[in-house]
Amino acid sequence: MAAPLLELENLIVHFKTHRGWVHAVDNVSFTIGKGQTLGLVGESGCGKTTTAFSILQILPYNAHVKGGDVRLKGRSILRDSVKEDGTIDPFNENIRKVRWKEISMIFQGAMNAFNPVYKVGDQIAEAIRVHYPDMSEQEIWKRIEELYDLVGIPKDRIMNYPHEYSGGMKQRAIIAMALALNPSLIIADEPTTALDVITQDRILGEMKRIQEETKTAMLLITHDVSVVAELSDKMAVMYAGQIVEMGTTRQIFKETAHPYTEALLGAFPSIKGDKKKRLKAIPGSPPDLISPPRGCRFHPRCPYARERCLEDEPELIKVGDGHYSRCHYTEELFGAGQGGGA
Ligand SMILES: Nc1ncnc2c1ncn2[C@@H]1O[C@H](COP(=O)(O)OP(=O)(O)OP(=O)(O)O)[C@@H](O)[C@H]1O
Ligand SMILES: [Mg+2]
């Protein structure tokens, strides 16, 4: 069988601070197949962006990779870049070949990523020129027109300045930029959270269409579960630096197998409002990642926590076909093989 497009294997990334080590990403593993979308969800501060930055090797200077690897099409792209002390040179050759051409990223808060003093078209053209110095100007501008068609911005807006775009248009242009070099994977970190709900819904719909058209795989990062529901094939739920549940989107929603996922789904209303669910906040707040709780990291907030959860750290165990949960009592709480759900 061909290797998946992207594989993360036991990735561990900690930040060195004067208070101690921040355990931002602890043993994270997942795979994304060609053309597939994985939704990575979890509350603020659980390590989503750090995971994404590790893939692209754009980590802050105090980040140390303590273990694990990232593979693209079966080829390791991380291990050889990590220096002896765990740090990474963001300009190393391994990743420079991959960044933008193979994996591009829509950054969190990217709405203002365009430089206000240059026209949007010129900024996209420059990005293409840097990576394809041999491409003719004519080809570059033809590509930009194609991209504008694809993301649904009228071509006569190519030479506008960023401030002349609406929020939704800026976000479309950012998507065009991410697609410019035809990558096989786009990492989208909270791509729509800065937009109003109506525009958000429209852009998400467009993203789904574009993705189907271009067959680009996506790592979709968000704290808003309703965003991933329609776009993702698979989901990984992160809590305090770890994946606590992973499975198909259907399994996560219909065969929920972890108390944190259950709480997270309860805390977000369905985007379509088809189910009149009561909006419940998850009690308490995520732990300090310098000294995460012993045992299960979720135990201080878990309504089902028992003695064992305080001491014994649960592993990510298989609960169904491609479905995993990090909970000692998953079977007892959610039933083996599930099928029922909430
Ligand atoms: N440079 C850094 N130095 C120290 N700690 C950091 C650094 N960057 C991030 N952190 C910490 O690492 C943890 C994970 O942060 P990260 O940004 O990956 O979370 P996130 O899931 O993307 O959150 P959000 O939803 O708010 O974007 C947090 O506790 C954060 O405070
Ligand atoms: Mg983030």
Side-chain angles (χ1 to χ4, degrees):
M1 217 173 75
L5 179 67
L6 184 83
E7 295 166 273
L8 262 69
E9 189 183 76
N10 301 324
L11 183 69
I12 305 174
V13 183
H14 295 171
F15 293 109
K16 195 174 187 175
T17 72
H18 66 278
R19 291 205 302 128
W21 290 94
V22 178
H23 297 229
V25 175
D26 259 345
N27 253 306
V28 166
S29 304
F30 59 70
T31 62
I32 304 180
K34 196 168 173 286
Q36 218 177 33
T37 296
L38 174 77
L40 184 62
V41 300
E43 280 167 293
S44 187
C46 68
K48 304 181 298 293
T49 298
T50 306
T51 303
F53 283 3
S54 311
I55 297 170
L56 278 175
Q57 298 178 25
I58 43 175
L59 290 157
Y61 70 94
N62 62 335
H64 293 244
V65 177
K66 301 261 176 166
D69 203 3
V70 176
R71 282 190 294 274
L72 182 72
K73 298 172 181 166
R75 196 168 46 83
S76 162
I77 56 168
L78 178 65
R79 199 164 283 161
D80 290 344
S81 313
V82 180
K83 293 188 259 182
E84 218 154 89
D85 65 352
T87 59
I88 294 177
D89 170 10
F91 301 107
N92 76 79
E93 275 307 311
N94 290 327
I95 196 66
R96 281 174 58 155
K97 282 182 258 171
V98 168
R99 229 182 256 148
W100 291 109
K101 276 191 184 176
E102 288 279 2
I103 308 176
S104 70
M105 181 155 177
I106 299 171
F107 289 89
Q108 193 165 4
M111 288 260 284
N112 300 313
F114 286 112
N115 188 327
V117 303
Y118 296 105
K119 291 169 179 155
V120 178
D122 282 335
Q123 297 188 50
I124 299 178
E126 188 53 26
I128 301 176
R129 259 178 229 125
V130 167
H131 291 273
Y132 290 105
D134 296 336
M135 211 162 159
S136 73
E137 282 303 299
Q138 201 186 352
E139 283 172 314
I140 289 174
W141 291 102
K142 190 166 154 262
R143 175 74 185 139
I144 294 174
E145 288 191 2
E146 276 168 20
L147 289 163
Y148 268 59
D149 264 348
L150 189 65
V151 300
I153 311 178
K155 290 200 231 348
D156 60 4
R157 308 297 297 260
I158 291 176
M159 284 320 233
N160 281 173
Y161 285 95
H163 73 263
E164 295 174 282
Y165 280 15
S166 67
M169 229 183 246
K170 262 191 234 170
Q171 198 58 13
R172 282 170 203 265
I174 295 281
I175 296 168
M177 184 96 147
L179 287 163
L181 305 180
N182 237 326
S184 33
L185 175 76
I186 294 183
I187 301 176
D189 195 356
E190 305 281 6
T192 58
T193 23
L195 303 167
D196 66 86
V197 188
I198 309 264
T199 312
Q200 183 170 342
D201 210 24
R202 193 175 303 147
I203 298 275
L204 289 169
E206 293 277 308
M207 277 174 72
K208 192 177 163 77
R209 178 187 59 75
I210 292 166
Q211 205 209 353
E212 278 164 7
E213 231 173 283
T214 58
K215 307 266 188 288
T216 314
M218 192 154 69
L219 173 60
L220 179 62
I221 299 175
T222 176
H223 61 262
D224 186 344
V225 177
S226 60
V227 165
V228 287
E230 286 185 54
L231 264 81
S232 306
D233 306 297
K234 297 199 295 184
M235 280 173 73
V237 181
M238 234 178 141
Y239 185 76
Q242 299 177 321
I243 289 181
V244 295
E245 186 172 352
M246 187 157 59
T248 64
T249 301
R250 194 180 176 283
Q251 284 166 336
I252 299 293
F253 277 85
K254 301 281 186 203
E255 297 169 15
T256 309
H258 193 282
Y260 177 64
T261 312
E262 185 184 55
L264 200 64
L265 295 178
F268 293 98
S270 153
I271 200 165
K272 290 218 155 59
D274 46 1
K275 257 194 219 151
K276 288 261 184 297
K277 255 200 217 159
R278 230 159 57 84
L279 193 59
K280 289 177 293 195
I282 307 174
S285 48
D288 179 1
L289 293 182
I290 288 178
S291 48
R294 277 166 64 91
C296 171
R297 292 189 180 179
F298 187 55
H299 88 251
R301 302 170 76 189
C302 182
Y304 313 111
R306 298 181 203 169
E307 205 74 25
R308 183 179 174 198
C309 310
L310 278 55
E311 292 296 329
D312 196 2
E313 186 171 342
E315 309 239 334
L316 199 59
I317 53 159
K318 191 168 175 179
V319 294
D321 190 18
H323 190 187
Y324 300 84
S325 166
R326 194 186 288 279
C327 172
H328 292 307
Y329 297 105
T330 181
E331 211 174 298
E332 192 182 320
L333 292 169
F334 301 99
Q338 291 96 33

